[in-house]
Amino acid sequence: VQLQASGGGLVQAGGSLRLSCAASGFTFGDRTIGWFRLAPRNVREAVSCIDTSDSNTYYSDSVKGRFTISSDNAKNTVFLQMNNLGPADAGVYYCAASLGPYCTVGTYTRWGQGTLVTVSS
């Protein structure tokens, strides 16, 4: 099982980035895929998740209306479109897979490497 996150980079405040999470080694449509950000004190906080079986989505309050999560099951890839980025959005973003439908860190057993998002003010 592998998850490959990409798309991070440096962007000015107000700008946009699109993160991608390419998955392999498991049935994509059976998983919830989530994006998590490494917050201060090394805590991973949920940003957004999508249940690839029915496309149900979850967004943290801080990103609602600015971020959009989507999946392309044919390509085993989940995307996170991030718009109107601010300094508070900066950090290392990880994608992960879970057999359950929830967007909580503890339910995710498969993690990819992180991709760094830097926002300049």
Side-chain angles (χ1 to χ4, degrees), residues 36-47 88 90-94:
F36 300 84
R37 186 178 71 91
L38 190 63
R41 300 179 185 176
N42 285 334
V43 174
R44 293 188 184 189
E45 58 182 22
V47 175
V92 180
Y93 283 70
Y94 296 87

Side-chain angles (χ1 to χ4, degrees), residues 12-85:
Q12 287 188 332
S16 299
L17 283 174
R18 189 192 196 202
L19 305 184
S20 298
C21 177
S24 62
F26 59 89
T27 303
F28 200 62
D30 288 348
R31 300 296 197 275
T32 300
I33 306 296
W35 285 99
F36 300 84
R37 186 178 71 91
L38 190 63
R41 300 179 185 176
N42 285 334
V43 174
R44 293 188 184 189
E45 58 182 22
V47 175
S48 182
C49 300
I50 184 167
D51 186 332
T52 60
S53 68
D54 59 13
S55 297
N56 277 342
T57 58
Y58 162 88
Y59 296 95
S60 69
D61 287 343
S62 64
V63 307
K64 280 180 183 176
R66 300 186 299 120
F67 290 13
T68 302
I69 192 169
S70 61
S71 70
D72 184 336
N73 287 9
K75 295 183 179 179
N76 271 22
T77 303
V78 166
F79 304 98
L80 184 67
Q81 178 66 42
M82 306 189 296
N83 297 329
N84 194 20
L85 286 161

